[in-house]
Amino acid sequence: MCYIQGTLTAWKVRAKRITLEDRAKAFIMVQESELLELSKSARLVGNFANEKELYLMMGKFTAQLRELPGAVDMHSHAPLAETRPPQISPAQAAADPEHLRAAQSILEREVARPDLGPAEAEAVREVLYGLRERNLPRVASIYRDAFGELRAPSEQMRKAYEHLDRYFGK
């Protein structure tokens, strides 16, 4: 059991029961528990079921997050320096954009398939969102894992994967 009366900051908490008392604050990124109890004045930040869920959520905000700095002085009041988002290589930029359009078109149809499980559909949607937003560094970093989530990829899903593979040159 994890009983919190003051403040707790943790990457992961694994307990059968997590209880936050009055005015308690918990900053838990990943929590694994059977029971979670919060008083009305308690505050819980984070609360993701696993690291993959956290990664997918952060992926939805790539434009806002840009690139996270490696080391940040949390006690400094100075603003973070501007960082540039990851860049794609010149070879990728010169690659035929038809591969991206074809992959997007296929995924638009395939994401609506009723036989896709929730985790599979979410993974495909993440790639699709990246393609729609033309967030190529994001797509390049997630498409292999997303397609790896598919238990039984259709022929069309394989074609979409091949288009992305050709574009990103891997």
PDB file of all heavy atoms in Angstrom, residues 1-35:
ATOM      1  N   MET A   1       0.832  -1.178   0.000  1.00  0.00           N
ATOM      2  CA  MET A   1       0.000   0.000   0.000  1.00  0.00           C
ATOM      3  C   MET A   1       0.880   1.245   0.000  1.00  0.00           C
ATOM      4  O   MET A   1       1.898   1.275   0.676  1.00  0.00           O
ATOM      5  CB  MET A   1      -0.896  -0.008   1.239  1.00  0.00           C
ATOM      6  CG  MET A   1      -1.784   1.188   1.314  1.00  0.00           C
ATOM      7  SD  MET A   1      -2.984   0.948   2.629  1.00  0.00           S
ATOM      8  CE  MET A   1      -3.509   2.606   2.823  1.00  0.00           C
ATOM      9  N   CYS A   2       0.463   2.237  -0.746  1.00  0.00           N
ATOM     10  CA  CYS A   2       1.182   3.509  -0.795  1.00  0.00           C
ATOM     11  C   CYS A   2       0.244   4.580  -0.236  1.00  0.00           C
ATOM     12  O   CYS A   2      -0.797   4.877  -0.841  1.00  0.00           O
ATOM     13  CB  CYS A   2       1.590   3.823  -2.228  1.00  0.00           C
ATOM     14  SG  CYS A   2       2.499   5.372  -2.389  1.00  0.00           S
ATOM     15  N   TYR A   3       0.606   5.144   0.892  1.00  0.00           N
ATOM     16  CA  TYR A   3      -0.217   6.120   1.590  1.00  0.00           C
ATOM     17  C   TYR A   3       0.504   7.461   1.524  1.00  0.00           C
ATOM     18  O   TYR A   3       1.616   7.594   2.031  1.00  0.00           O
ATOM     19  CB  TYR A   3      -0.394   5.654   3.037  1.00  0.00           C
ATOM     20  CG  TYR A   3      -1.352   6.470   3.855  1.00  0.00           C
ATOM     21  CD1 TYR A   3      -2.722   6.334   3.685  1.00  0.00           C
ATOM     22  CD2 TYR A   3      -0.876   7.371   4.787  1.00  0.00           C
ATOM     23  CE1 TYR A   3      -3.600   7.077   4.448  1.00  0.00           C
ATOM     24  CE2 TYR A   3      -1.741   8.115   5.554  1.00  0.00           C
ATOM     25  CZ  TYR A   3      -3.110   7.977   5.373  1.00  0.00           C
ATOM     26  OH  TYR A   3      -3.973   8.713   6.121  1.00  0.00           O
ATOM     27  N   ILE A   4      -0.138   8.484   0.926  1.00  0.00           N
ATOM     28  CA  ILE A   4       0.523   9.773   0.707  1.00  0.00           C
ATOM     29  C   ILE A   4      -0.200  10.860   1.485  1.00  0.00           C
ATOM     30  O   ILE A   4      -1.392  11.088   1.287  1.00  0.00           O
ATOM     31  CB  ILE A   4       0.549  10.117  -0.802  1.00  0.00           C
ATOM     32  CG1 ILE A   4       1.219   8.985  -1.587  1.00  0.00           C
ATOM     33  CG2 ILE A   4       1.247  11.443  -1.036  1.00  0.00           C
ATOM     34  CD1 ILE A   4       0.979   9.035  -3.071  1.00  0.00           C
ATOM     35  N   GLN A   5       0.565  11.544   2.353  1.00  0.00           N
ATOM     36  CA  GLN A   5      -0.001  12.648   3.134  1.00  0.00           C
ATOM     37  C   GLN A   5       0.553  13.989   2.667  1.00  0.00           C
ATOM     38  O   GLN A   5      -0.116  14.988   2.762  1.00  0.00           O
ATOM     39  CB  GLN A   5       0.302  12.472   4.608  1.00  0.00           C
ATOM     40  CG  GLN A   5      -0.481  11.358   5.251  1.00  0.00           C
ATOM     41  CD  GLN A   5      -0.188  11.265   6.731  1.00  0.00           C
ATOM     42  OE1 GLN A   5       0.966  11.335   7.153  1.00  0.00           O
ATOM     43  NE2 GLN A   5      -1.225  11.095   7.525  1.00  0.00           N
ATOM     44  N   GLY A   6       1.752  14.011   2.182  1.00  0.00           N
ATOM     45  CA  GLY A   6       2.388  15.257   1.742  1.00  0.00           C
ATOM     46  C   GLY A   6       2.528  15.288   0.237  1.00  0.00           C
ATOM     47  O   GLY A   6       1.547  15.320  -0.499  1.00  0.00           O
ATOM     48  N   THR A   7       3.775  15.218  -0.234  1.00  0.00           N
ATOM     49  CA  THR A   7       4.063  15.263  -1.663  1.00  0.00           C
ATOM     50  C   THR A   7       4.929  14.072  -2.037  1.00  0.00           C
ATOM     51  O   THR A   7       5.862  13.725  -1.322  1.00  0.00           O
ATOM     52  CB  THR A   7       4.822  16.566  -2.023  1.00  0.00           C
ATOM     53  OG1 THR A   7       4.008  17.680  -1.638  1.00  0.00           O
ATOM     54  CG2 THR A   7       5.091  16.646  -3.506  1.00  0.00           C
ATOM     55  N   LEU A   8       4.606  13.465  -3.163  1.00  0.00           N
ATOM     56  CA  LEU A   8       5.388  12.351  -3.693  1.00  0.00           C
ATOM     57  C   LEU A   8       5.664  12.614  -5.158  1.00  0.00           C
ATOM     58  O   LEU A   8       4.757  12.997  -5.911  1.00  0.00           O
ATOM     59  CB  LEU A   8       4.619  11.031  -3.558  1.00  0.00           C
ATOM     60  CG  LEU A   8       5.247   9.830  -4.280  1.00  0.00           C
ATOM     61  CD1 LEU A   8       6.502   9.366  -3.548  1.00  0.00           C
ATOM     62  CD2 LEU A   8       4.251   8.698  -4.406  1.00  0.00           C
ATOM     63  N   THR A   9       6.907  12.428  -5.567  1.00  0.00           N
ATOM     64  CA  THR A   9       7.287  12.509  -6.969  1.00  0.00           C
ATOM     65  C   THR A   9       7.977  11.204  -7.315  1.00  0.00           C
ATOM     66  O   THR A   9       8.959  10.833  -6.670  1.00  0.00           O
ATOM     67  CB  THR A   9       8.244  13.691  -7.234  1.00  0.00           C
ATOM     68  OG1 THR A   9       7.605  14.894  -6.821  1.00  0.00           O
ATOM     69  CG2 THR A   9       8.607  13.774  -8.705  1.00  0.00           C
ATOM     70  N   ALA A  10       7.429  10.498  -8.309  1.00  0.00           N
ATOM     71  CA  ALA A  10       8.000   9.199  -8.672  1.00  0.00           C
ATOM     72  C   ALA A  10       7.730   8.889 -10.131  1.00  0.00           C
ATOM     73  O   ALA A  10       6.703   9.295 -10.681  1.00  0.00           O
ATOM     74  CB  ALA A  10       7.397   8.099  -7.799  1.00  0.00           C
ATOM     75  N   TRP A  11       8.662   8.181 -10.739  1.00  0.00           N
ATOM     76  CA  TRP A  11       8.447   7.724 -12.120  1.00  0.00           C
ATOM     77  C   TRP A  11       7.405   6.611 -12.131  1.00  0.00           C
ATOM     78  O   TRP A  11       6.484   6.613 -12.913  1.00  0.00           O
ATOM     79  CB  TRP A  11       9.754   7.229 -12.747  1.00  0.00           C
ATOM     80  CG  TRP A  11       9.525   6.682 -14.121  1.00  0.00           C
ATOM     81  CD1 TRP A  11       9.499   5.377 -14.496  1.00  0.00           C
ATOM     82  CD2 TRP A  11       9.237   7.422 -15.302  1.00  0.00           C
ATOM     83  NE1 TRP A  11       9.216   5.264 -15.826  1.00  0.00           N
ATOM     84  CE2 TRP A  11       9.050   6.517 -16.355  1.00  0.00           C
ATOM     85  CE3 TRP A  11       9.113   8.788 -15.574  1.00  0.00           C
ATOM     86  CZ2 TRP A  11       8.756   6.900 -17.652  1.00  0.00           C
ATOM     87  CZ3 TRP A  11       8.817   9.182 -16.868  1.00  0.00           C
ATOM     88  CH2 TRP A  11       8.642   8.235 -17.888  1.00  0.00           C
ATOM     89  N   LYS A  12       7.548   5.632 -11.227  1.00  0.00           N
ATOM     90  CA  LYS A  12       6.624   4.497 -11.215  1.00  0.00           C
ATOM     91  C   LYS A  12       6.313   4.106  -9.774  1.00  0.00           C
ATOM     92  O   LYS A  12       7.209   4.034  -8.933  1.00  0.00           O
ATOM     93  CB  LYS A  12       7.243   3.302 -11.944  1.00  0.00           C
ATOM     94  CG  LYS A  12       6.313   2.090 -12.038  1.00  0.00           C
ATOM     95  CD  LYS A  12       6.997   0.882 -12.667  1.00  0.00           C
ATOM     96  CE  LYS A  12       7.018   1.019 -14.163  1.00  0.00           C
ATOM     97  NZ  LYS A  12       7.488  -0.205 -14.841  1.00  0.00           N
ATOM     98  N   VAL A  13       5.029   3.855  -9.533  1.00  0.00           N
ATOM     99  CA  VAL A  13       4.597   3.338  -8.236  1.00  0.00           C
ATOM    100  C   VAL A  13       3.790   2.079  -8.500  1.00  0.00           C
ATOM    101  O   VAL A  13       2.841   2.092  -9.280  1.00  0.00           O
ATOM    102  CB  VAL A  13       3.734   4.364  -7.461  1.00  0.00           C
ATOM    103  CG1 VAL A  13       3.149   3.729  -6.211  1.00  0.00           C
ATOM    104  CG2 VAL A  13       4.560   5.590  -7.099  1.00  0.00           C
ATOM    105  N   ARG A  14       4.186   0.996  -7.857  1.00  0.00           N
ATOM    106  CA  ARG A  14       3.488  -0.280  -7.988  1.00  0.00           C
ATOM    107  C   ARG A  14       3.008  -0.676  -6.594  1.00  0.00           C
ATOM    108  O   ARG A  14       3.819  -0.937  -5.706  1.00  0.00           O
ATOM    109  CB  ARG A  14       4.436  -1.328  -8.552  1.00  0.00           C
ATOM    110  CG  ARG A  14       3.760  -2.663  -8.823  1.00  0.00           C
ATOM    111  CD  ARG A  14       4.734  -3.652  -9.439  1.00  0.00           C
ATOM    112  NE  ARG A  14       5.160  -3.159 -10.743  1.00  0.00           N
ATOM    113  CZ  ARG A  14       6.355  -3.385 -11.264  1.00  0.00           C
ATOM    114  NH1 ARG A  14       7.256  -4.073 -10.597  1.00  0.00           N
ATOM    115  NH2 ARG A  14       6.666  -2.915 -12.453  1.00  0.00           N
ATOM    116  N   ALA A  15       1.676  -0.663  -6.416  1.00  0.00           N
ATOM    117  CA  ALA A  15       1.092  -1.008  -5.121  1.00  0.00           C
ATOM    118  C   ALA A  15      -0.324  -1.510  -5.340  1.00  0.00           C
ATOM    119  O   ALA A  15      -0.958  -1.163  -6.328  1.00  0.00           O
ATOM    120  CB  ALA A  15       1.076   0.215  -4.205  1.00  0.00           C
ATOM    121  N   LYS A  16      -0.806  -2.335  -4.418  1.00  0.00           N
ATOM    122  CA  LYS A  16      -2.197  -2.792  -4.538  1.00  0.00           C
ATOM    123  C   LYS A  16      -3.154  -1.624  -4.366  1.00  0.00           C
ATOM    124  O   LYS A  16      -4.189  -1.560  -4.995  1.00  0.00           O
ATOM    125  CB  LYS A  16      -2.505  -3.860  -3.485  1.00  0.00           C
ATOM    126  CG  LYS A  16      -1.922  -5.204  -3.833  1.00  0.00           C
ATOM    127  CD  LYS A  16      -2.472  -6.272  -2.920  1.00  0.00           C
ATOM    128  CE  LYS A  16      -1.860  -7.587  -3.343  1.00  0.00           C
ATOM    129  NZ  LYS A  16      -2.837  -8.590  -3.589  1.00  0.00           N
ATOM    130  N   ARG A  17      -2.770  -0.665  -3.501  1.00  0.00           N
ATOM    131  CA  ARG A  17      -3.650   0.457  -3.202  1.00  0.00           C
ATOM    132  C   ARG A  17      -2.818   1.721  -3.048  1.00  0.00           C
ATOM    133  O   ARG A  17      -1.805   1.718  -2.352  1.00  0.00           O
ATOM    134  CB  ARG A  17      -4.395   0.149  -1.920  1.00  0.00           C
ATOM    135  CG  ARG A  17      -5.316   1.203  -1.453  1.00  0.00           C
ATOM    136  CD  ARG A  17      -6.021   0.683  -0.228  1.00  0.00           C
ATOM    137  NE  ARG A  17      -6.827   1.715   0.381  1.00  0.00           N
ATOM    138  CZ  ARG A  17      -7.593   1.515   1.425  1.00  0.00           C
ATOM    139  NH1 ARG A  17      -7.655   0.325   1.965  1.00  0.00           N
ATOM    140  NH2 ARG A  17      -8.299   2.492   1.927  1.00  0.00           N
ATOM    141  N   ILE A  18      -3.260   2.809  -3.694  1.00  0.00           N
ATOM    142  CA  ILE A  18      -2.627   4.117  -3.550  1.00  0.00           C
ATOM    143  C   ILE A  18      -3.674   5.059  -2.970  1.00  0.00           C
ATOM    144  O   ILE A  18      -4.767   5.186  -3.517  1.00  0.00           O
ATOM    145  CB  ILE A  18      -2.107   4.657  -4.897  1.00  0.00           C
ATOM    146  CG1 ILE A  18      -1.053   3.704  -5.491  1.00  0.00           C
ATOM    147  CG2 ILE A  18      -1.532   6.062  -4.729  1.00  0.00           C
ATOM    148  CD1 ILE A  18      -0.588   4.081  -6.881  1.00  0.00           C
ATOM    149  N   THR A  19      -3.347   5.699  -1.859  1.00  0.00           N
ATOM    150  CA  THR A  19      -4.281   6.595  -1.182  1.00  0.00           C
ATOM    151  C   THR A  19      -3.636   7.963  -1.015  1.00  0.00           C
ATOM    152  O   THR A  19      -2.532   8.064  -0.485  1.00  0.00           O
ATOM    153  CB  THR A  19      -4.668   6.043   0.211  1.00  0.00           C
ATOM    154  OG1 THR A  19      -5.193   4.721   0.047  1.00  0.00           O
ATOM    155  CG2 THR A  19      -5.672   6.927   0.900  1.00  0.00           C
ATOM    156  N   LEU A  20      -4.336   9.012  -1.449  1.00  0.00           N
ATOM    157  CA  LEU A  20      -3.888  10.388  -1.268  1.00  0.00           C
ATOM    158  C   LEU A  20      -4.824  11.065  -0.269  1.00  0.00           C
ATOM    159  O   LEU A  20      -6.030  11.163  -0.517  1.00  0.00           O
ATOM    160  CB  LEU A  20      -3.899  11.163  -2.589  1.00  0.00           C
ATOM    161  CG  LEU A  20      -2.690  10.970  -3.495  1.00  0.00           C
ATOM    162  CD1 LEU A  20      -2.819   9.694  -4.287  1.00  0.00           C
ATOM    163  CD2 LEU A  20      -2.534  12.146  -4.413  1.00  0.00           C
ATOM    164  N   GLU A  21      -4.269  11.512   0.840  1.00  0.00           N
ATOM    165  CA  GLU A  21      -5.046  12.186   1.883  1.00  0.00           C
ATOM    166  C   GLU A  21      -5.267  13.656   1.511  1.00  0.00           C
ATOM    167  O   GLU A  21      -4.801  14.125   0.477  1.00  0.00           O
ATOM    168  CB  GLU A  21      -4.293  12.088   3.222  1.00  0.00           C
ATOM    169  CG  GLU A  21      -4.333  10.707   3.814  1.00  0.00           C
ATOM    170  CD  GLU A  21      -5.742  10.280   4.194  1.00  0.00           C
ATOM    171  OE1 GLU A  21      -6.467  11.049   4.854  1.00  0.00           O
ATOM    172  OE2 GLU A  21      -6.125   9.160   3.813  1.00  0.00           O
ATOM    173  N   ASP A  22      -5.964  14.390   2.399  1.00  0.00           N
ATOM    174  CA  ASP A  22      -6.257  15.805   2.165  1.00  0.00           C
ATOM    175  C   ASP A  22      -5.005  16.603   1.833  1.00  0.00           C
ATOM    176  O   ASP A  22      -3.984  16.465   2.502  1.00  0.00           O
ATOM    177  CB  ASP A  22      -6.926  16.427   3.403  1.00  0.00           C
ATOM    178  CG  ASP A  22      -8.349  15.947   3.579  1.00  0.00           C
ATOM    179  OD1 ASP A  22      -8.981  15.594   2.562  1.00  0.00           O
ATOM    180  OD2 ASP A  22      -8.815  15.925   4.727  1.00  0.00           O
ATOM    181  N   ARG A  23      -5.091  17.388   0.792  1.00  0.00           N
ATOM    182  CA  ARG A  23      -4.040  18.294   0.310  1.00  0.00           C
ATOM    183  C   ARG A  23      -2.762  17.567  -0.108  1.00  0.00           C
ATOM    184  O   ARG A  23      -1.727  18.194  -0.274  1.00  0.00           O
ATOM    185  CB  ARG A  23      -3.759  19.386   1.331  1.00  0.00           C
ATOM    186  CG  ARG A  23      -4.930  20.325   1.521  1.00  0.00           C
ATOM    187  CD  ARG A  23      -4.622  21.483   2.435  1.00  0.00           C
ATOM    188  NE  ARG A  23      -4.229  21.109   3.790  1.00  0.00           N
ATOM    189  CZ  ARG A  23      -5.083  20.787   4.767  1.00  0.00           C
ATOM    190  NH1 ARG A  23      -6.360  20.787   4.551  1.00  0.00           N
ATOM    191  NH2 ARG A  23      -4.638  20.472   5.965  1.00  0.00           N
ATOM    192  N   ALA A  24      -2.797  16.279  -0.271  1.00  0.00           N
ATOM    193  CA  ALA A  24      -1.626  15.525  -0.731  1.00  0.00           C
ATOM    194  C   ALA A  24      -1.429  15.784  -2.223  1.00  0.00           C
ATOM    195  O   ALA A  24      -2.399  16.015  -2.956  1.00  0.00           O
ATOM    196  CB  ALA A  24      -1.811  14.038  -0.480  1.00  0.00           C
ATOM    197  N   LYS A  25      -0.186  15.754  -2.652  1.00  0.00           N
ATOM    198  CA  LYS A  25       0.144  15.937  -4.058  1.00  0.00           C
ATOM    199  C   LYS A  25       1.026  14.775  -4.494  1.00  0.00           C
ATOM    200  O   LYS A  25       2.032  14.483  -3.849  1.00  0.00           O
ATOM    201  CB  LYS A  25       0.900  17.242  -4.289  1.00  0.00           C
ATOM    202  CG  LYS A  25       0.086  18.479  -4.024  1.00  0.00           C
ATOM    203  CD  LYS A  25       0.905  19.723  -4.259  1.00  0.00           C
ATOM    204  CE  LYS A  25       0.110  20.957  -3.903  1.00  0.00           C
ATOM    205  NZ  LYS A  25       0.920  22.169  -4.029  1.00  0.00           N
ATOM    206  N   ALA A  26       0.630  14.129  -5.580  1.00  0.00           N
ATOM    207  CA  ALA A  26       1.421  13.019  -6.107  1.00  0.00           C
ATOM    208  C   ALA A  26       1.702  13.273  -7.580  1.00  0.00           C
ATOM    209  O   ALA A  26       0.779  13.528  -8.354  1.00  0.00           O
ATOM    210  CB  ALA A  26       0.684  11.702  -5.925  1.00  0.00           C
ATOM    211  N   PHE A  27       2.949  13.235  -7.936  1.00  0.00           N
ATOM    212  CA  PHE A  27       3.384  13.373  -9.311  1.00  0.00           C
ATOM    213  C   PHE A  27       3.933  12.005  -9.726  1.00  0.00           C
ATOM    214  O   PHE A  27       5.109  11.721  -9.545  1.00  0.00           O
ATOM    215  CB  PHE A  27       4.452  14.470  -9.442  1.00  0.00           C
ATOM    216  CG  PHE A  27       3.969  15.811  -8.944  1.00  0.00           C
ATOM    217  CD1 PHE A  27       4.146  16.185  -7.623  1.00  0.00           C
ATOM    218  CD2 PHE A  27       3.311  16.667  -9.807  1.00  0.00           C
ATOM    219  CE1 PHE A  27       3.693  17.411  -7.162  1.00  0.00           C
ATOM    220  CE2 PHE A  27       2.849  17.901  -9.358  1.00  0.00           C
ATOM    221  CZ  PHE A  27       3.045  18.272  -8.038  1.00  0.00           C
ATOM    222  N   ILE A  28       3.049  11.165 -10.213  1.00  0.00           N
ATOM    223  CA  ILE A  28       3.390   9.785 -10.560  1.00  0.00           C
ATOM    224  C   ILE A  28       3.179   9.624 -12.061  1.00  0.00           C
ATOM    225  O   ILE A  28       2.057   9.735 -12.539  1.00  0.00           O
ATOM    226  CB  ILE A  28       2.504   8.774  -9.798  1.00  0.00           C
ATOM    227  CG1 ILE A  28       2.621   8.980  -8.285  1.00  0.00           C
ATOM    228  CG2 ILE A  28       2.855   7.347 -10.200  1.00  0.00           C
ATOM    229  CD1 ILE A  28       1.600   8.189  -7.478  1.00  0.00           C
ATOM    230  N   MET A  29       4.238   9.347 -12.794  1.00  0.00           N
ATOM    231  CA  MET A  29       4.087   9.194 -14.238  1.00  0.00           C
ATOM    232  C   MET A  29       3.417   7.867 -14.584  1.00  0.00           C
ATOM    233  O   MET A  29       2.508   7.822 -15.387  1.00  0.00           O
ATOM    234  CB  MET A  29       5.439   9.320 -14.943  1.00  0.00           C
ATOM    235  CG  MET A  29       6.024  10.712 -14.832  1.00  0.00           C
ATOM    236  SD  MET A  29       4.877  12.028 -15.319  1.00  0.00           S
ATOM    237  CE  MET A  29       4.716  11.725 -17.044  1.00  0.00           C
ATOM    238  N   VAL A  30       3.874   6.789 -13.995  1.00  0.00           N
ATOM    239  CA  VAL A  30       3.312   5.469 -14.285  1.00  0.00           C
ATOM    240  C   VAL A  30       2.877   4.842 -12.960  1.00  0.00           C
ATOM    241  O   VAL A  30       3.691   4.691 -12.059  1.00  0.00           O
ATOM    242  CB  VAL A  30       4.343   4.556 -14.989  1.00  0.00           C
ATOM    243  CG1 VAL A  30       3.755   3.183 -15.256  1.00  0.00           C
ATOM    244  CG2 VAL A  30       4.851   5.188 -16.274  1.00  0.00           C
ATOM    245  N   GLN A  31       1.591   4.519 -12.864  1.00  0.00           N
ATOM    246  CA  GLN A  31       1.121   3.905 -11.628  1.00  0.00           C
ATOM    247  C   GLN A  31       0.429   2.593 -11.952  1.00  0.00           C
ATOM    248  O   GLN A  31      -0.372   2.515 -12.861  1.00  0.00           O
ATOM    249  CB  GLN A  31       0.235   4.838 -10.821  1.00  0.00           C
ATOM    250  CG  GLN A  31      -1.113   5.176 -11.411  1.00  0.00           C
ATOM    251  CD  GLN A  31      -2.231   4.291 -10.904  1.00  0.00           C
ATOM    252  OE1 GLN A  31      -2.044   3.453 -10.040  1.00  0.00           O
ATOM    253  NE2 GLN A  31      -3.378   4.456 -11.488  1.00  0.00           N
ATOM    254  N   GLU A  32       0.794   1.567 -11.194  1.00  0.00           N
ATOM    255  CA  GLU A  32       0.201   0.249 -11.332  1.00  0.00           C
ATOM    256  C   GLU A  32      -0.437  -0.093  -9.996  1.00  0.00           C
ATOM    257  O   GLU A  32       0.269  -0.372  -9.032  1.00  0.00           O
ATOM    258  CB  GLU A  32       1.275  -0.774 -11.701  1.00  0.00           C
ATOM    259  CG  GLU A  32       1.952  -0.488 -13.023  1.00  0.00           C
ATOM    260  CD  GLU A  32       3.142  -1.401 -13.282  1.00  0.00           C
ATOM    261  OE1 GLU A  32       3.464  -2.242 -12.419  1.00  0.00           O
ATOM    262  OE2 GLU A  32       3.754  -1.252 -14.345  1.00  0.00           O
ATOM    263  N   SER A  33      -1.773  -0.001  -9.958  1.00  0.00           N
ATOM    264  CA  SER A  33      -2.473  -0.311  -8.714  1.00  0.00           C
ATOM    265  C   SER A  33      -3.850  -0.863  -9.024  1.00  0.00           C
ATOM    266  O   SER A  33      -4.406  -0.645 -10.093  1.00  0.00           O
ATOM    267  CB  SER A  33      -2.596   0.942  -7.843  1.00  0.00           C
ATOM    268  OG  SER A  33      -3.436   1.882  -8.467  1.00  0.00           O
ATOM    269  N   GLU A  34      -4.380  -1.600  -8.061  1.00  0.00           N
ATOM    270  CA  GLU A  34      -5.734  -2.138  -8.182  1.00  0.00           C
ATOM    271  C   GLU A  34      -6.763  -1.121  -7.712  1.00  0.00           C
ATOM    272  O   GLU A  34      -7.883  -1.083  -8.197  1.00  0.00           O
ATOM    273  CB  GLU A  34      -5.857  -3.425  -7.364  1.00  0.00           C
ATOM    274  CG  GLU A  34      -5.009  -4.552  -7.895  1.00  0.00           C
ATOM    275  CD  GLU A  34      -5.042  -5.783  -6.997  1.00  0.00           C
ATOM    276  OE1 GLU A  34      -5.923  -5.877  -6.113  1.00  0.00           O
ATOM    277  OE2 GLU A  34      -4.178  -6.648  -7.183  1.00  0.00           O
ATOM    278  N   LEU A  35      -6.365  -0.268  -6.755  1.00  0.00           N
ATOM    279  CA  LEU A  35      -7.293   0.681  -6.166  1.00  0.00           C
ATOM    280  C   LEU A  35      -6.589   2.022  -5.992  1.00  0.00           C
ATOM    281  O   LEU A  35      -5.475   2.085  -5.484  1.00  0.00           O
ATOM    282  CB  LEU A  35      -7.779   0.151  -4.813  1.00  0.00           C
ATOM    283  CG  LEU A  35      -8.823   0.967  -4.071  1.00  0.00           C
ATOM    284  CD1 LEU A  35     -10.110   1.049  -4.890  1.00  0.00           C
ATOM    285  CD2 LEU A  35      -9.119   0.322  -2.732  1.00  0.00           C
TER     286      LEU A  35
END
